[in-house]
Structures are given as C-alpha cells and as structure tokens.
Amino acid sequence: MGKRITESKKFIITETILLILIISLLNTSYYYKNKISSIDKYMIDEYNSLKTKQKDKEKELTELKNYYNDYGNIDNKINFIKEEYFKYIKQLENDIINGKSNKKIAYLTFDDGPYYNTYKVLDILDKYNVKATFFTTTTNGTYCYDNKSYECFKLYPEYVKRGHTIANHTYTHAIRYGLYSSAESFIKAVKDQEEHVKKYAYGYITNIVRFPGGSSTARNLKSSIVEKLRENHYGYVDWNGSDGDGGMLYSKEETWNNFTSTINEKIEVILYHDYSRYTTAILPEMITYLEENGYILLPLFYESNMIKK
Ligand SMILES: [Zn+2]
C-alpha cells in the first residue's frame, strides 16, 4: 500500500514538474514571439519613416535642381527685365522731350568714388528708395582716401546689392598727368577701370563713361576719344545740374543755393561727389525738393537720350 502511495506521489511530482516545464516553455515562446513581432513592427516603422525621409529629400533635390536651373537663367531674366524697363523709360524720355508728358526725370550721379563716405550716401539713397549712378575711379588706390584702414573695393558689391548703376570715370582720373595725352591713354584708363569694376562687382559690365573734368576737358582729342569709346560700346554723359561740390564749398546754404539754381530742365543729370560732406548733409532735402517739383529719380542707362554715343 505504502509503495503505491509513494509511486502515486512520484507520479504527481513528475507530472507537476512536467506541467511547470511546459507552462514555462509556452511562456518563453510567447515572450519571444511578442518580442520578435515588436522588432518587426519597429523595423517596418523605421523603414516607412526612412521611405518618407527619402521622398522628402527627393522633393528637396528636385526643388534645388529647379532653383539651380533658374539661377543659370538669371542673367537672361535680369537682361529681359532691364530691357523692358529701359524701353519704358526711353519712351518716357522721348515723350518728355516732345512735350507729350508733363513728367520730369532727374538722374542723380556721384563721381570719383568709392569713398568711405559713400556708405553714408548709399544709406540715404536706401532710406528714400532712390537708385543712382556711381561714376567710379581707382585714383584713390586700394584703400579709401577718407579712411586709410578700409579697403574701398568692398563698396563695389554694395552698389550692386543696393540696385545702383556703376559707371566708368577712368582708372586714373589723372587729368593733368597723362589721361588726356592721347585717345589711347584715355581708352586704356577706361578699360582698366572696366576690369576693376568687373573684378569687384560680380562681373558687372558698365558701358557709360564720364570724362574726368567733363568732356570739354579732352579739347581737340574729344572726337577721337568718342570714336574709340563707340568702338568699345561706350557712351558718355556730362551734366546739366550740380550743387557745386566739385569746387570749394563753405556752407550748406551755399550748396543748397547752387543746387536749386541749376535745377531748371525737364531731364536733369545732376553731378555730385561721394566725398562731399555738404552734399551728404543736404542730400535728403535735395531728394525731397526734386520729388516735390515733379521729378522721378532714376539710375542712368546706356540707351538713355542723355548718353551720347
Ligand atoms: Zn571726377
């Protein structure tokens, strides 16, 4: 009897152990099954998110490619806009000259820069939303004449960025030191300045010249210089308005009176100098005066009637 009980006990123990083993095995398999399916889910999620990222990147790449192609065409686009704009202004000039329009135009021009003071001029023009023309020279060398620690060629990109027109006032400006000794010496100084502008102003090409001292300074060389300028696709311009800042000035009042006494034509090309403290001081008032007297203030362009070719 005792032996049977012992055998039955043994059986129960063995059965229990077996059951425990089976349960724990089942549990373990369930655990790993879950674990594997959660890894699968993670992998699928990760894959999907990578797919989405890839699509986003592909979209970005397409946008960049389009932008790049557009950028490649930017010169054409700018030229197209410029041509349209110049056509319109040229027509306006013709209408003004022929008395078909009551409008007036003033072209503000600044000679002999860049100077460090040019920044002040540029800031005033920005404030009044006026675009002007800068007749540049390199007579002052690498450093600004009015700030020997500042490299003045840094002004060239500034003219471009702020939407002004850069024009050519010869590299040397050496009126008494060889500029006017021959047509060739003059053209060389023009070409040297052309290269200087191109180098520092993002490849900017200028085709407007102002003779240092005005075209009459060239005397009997003028016609041969003009012919050579024409061969090199240049036109030139003098001026019919000025505040007298090329000479000695003693007060703001004197500068103002000089200015107002010369503004009497329907199309004005006004001569200023970047370095003049009197011009800088009353430039806001001069701009307001012109606008109040019906002038539209514009930058010069080669096709303008004011540019002699
Ligand atoms: Zn000059």
Side-chain angles (χ1 to χ4, degrees):
M1 183 73 175
K3 198 181 176 189
R4 260 166 97 189
I5 289 167
T6 314
E7 270 186 12
S8 151
K9 258 188 189 171
K10 241 185 193 172
F11 178 77
I12 288 167
I13 288 165
T14 315
E15 284 297 292
T16 311
I17 287 170
L18 250 167
L19 199 67
I20 288 167
L21 266 173
I22 287 166
I23 286 170
S24 76
L25 208 71
L26 276 174
N27 261 344
T28 313
S29 107
Y30 181 75
Y31 170 79
Y32 280 108
K33 202 179 164 202
N34 265 354
K35 184 89 182 158
I36 285 165
S37 83
S38 79
I39 285 170
D40 278 355
K41 196 177 171 304
Y42 170 79
M43 293 296 277
I44 288 164
D45 285 351
E46 190 66 5
Y47 174 78
N48 284 338
S49 109
L50 280 172
K51 265 277 181 208
T52 315
K53 274 183 196 161
Q54 188 191 11
K55 269 186 192 161
D56 288 349
K57 289 285 166 205
E58 277 168 1
K59 204 177 145 200
E60 256 177 56
L61 186 67
T62 314
E63 278 169 7
L64 271 172
K65 273 183 186 163
N66 290 341
Y67 179 77
Y68 178 78
N69 289 338
D70 258 18
Y71 187 74
N73 284 328
I74 207 147
D75 278 348
N76 290 338
K77 280 185 183 170
I78 289 171
N79 285 338
F80 177 75
I81 293 165
K82 270 185 174 175
E83 273 171 28
E84 288 296 297
Y85 168 81
F86 294 151
K87 223 187 281 172
Y88 173 77
I89 304 298
K90 175 83 189 253
Q91 186 57 49
L92 180 63
E93 278 187 347
N94 288 341
D95 289 349
I96 291 170
I97 292 164
N98 300 325
K100 287 185 195 163
S101 170
N102 294 326
K103 290 194 164 44
K104 291 188 263 183
I105 298 175
Y107 295 108
L108 307 193
T109 67
F110 294 85
D111 281 17
D112 296 3
Y115 282 83
Y116 193 68
N117 189 65
T118 305
Y119 278 114
K120 280 190 190 161
V121 173
L122 290 173
D123 288 346
I124 295 167
L125 294 174
D126 272 358
K127 193 175 168 197
Y128 288 83
N129 195 22
V130 171
K131 304 298 177 207
T133 307
F134 289 85
F135 286 87
T136 58
T137 173
T138 313
T139 182
N140 297 325
T142 313
Y143 291 93
C144 292
Y145 188 74
D146 56 347
N147 181 348
K148 298 277 176 355
S149 63
Y150 192 79
E151 291 164 317
C152 248
F153 59 78
K154 288 177 185 163
L155 261 302
Y156 286 95
E158 210 60 34
Y159 294 131
V160 180
K161 274 191 256 171
R162 302 198 197 196
H164 300 292
T165 293
I166 304 175
N168 193 321
H169 200 39
T170 78
Y171 192 83
T172 60
H173 200 285
I175 298 176
R176 288 178 199 83
Y177 303 97
L179 179 66
Y180 291 114
S181 53
S182 67
E184 286 70 26
S185 62
F186 187 91
I187 296 299
K188 186 186 181 307
V190 167
K191 298 297 266 180
D192 287 349
Q193 184 59 13
E194 177 183 296
E195 285 308 311
H196 192 73
V197 170
K198 225 187 271 177
K199 182 175 172 189
Y200 291 111
Y202 311 118
Y204 190 101
I205 292 167
T206 163
N207 49 7
I208 305 171
V209 165
R210 177 173 278 151
F211 290 69
S215 63
S216 59
T217 316
R219 298 172 187 240
N220 55 357
L221 277 177
K222 185 175 166 178
S223 59
S224 53
I225 289 175
V226 171
E227 201 181 301
K228 286 213 173 294
L229 284 174
R230 209 178 293 133
E231 280 168 20
N232 285 280
H233 313 290
Y234 271 95
Y236 74 95
V237 62
D238 286 312
W239 59 92
N240 56 0
S242 156
D243 66 359
D245 67 359
M248 287 301 281
L249 286 172
Y250 297 97
S251 69
K252 283 198 265 184
E253 290 69 29
E254 184 193 8
T255 314
W256 176 260
N257 292 336
N258 286 342
F259 167 71
T260 52
S261 67
T262 61
I263 305 303
N264 44 32
E265 292 187 45
K266 287 187 167 184
I267 303 180
E268 286 283 351
V269 177
I270 306 170
L271 169 70
Y272 297 117
H273 292 84
D274 299 34
Y275 54 74
S276 169
R277 66 186 171 110
Y278 288 121
T279 290
T280 313
I282 65 165
L283 188 56
E285 286 83 352
M286 291 193 278
I287 289 171
T288 308
Y289 178 87
L290 289 166
E291 287 178 340
E292 281 176 359
N293 282 280
Y295 285 94
I296 308 166
L297 278 53
L298 297 171
L300 275 168
F301 57 103
Y302 177 79
E303 293 79 1
S304 164
N305 290 290
M306 308 311 280
I307 307 294
K308 296 172 193 132
K309 291 125 192 155

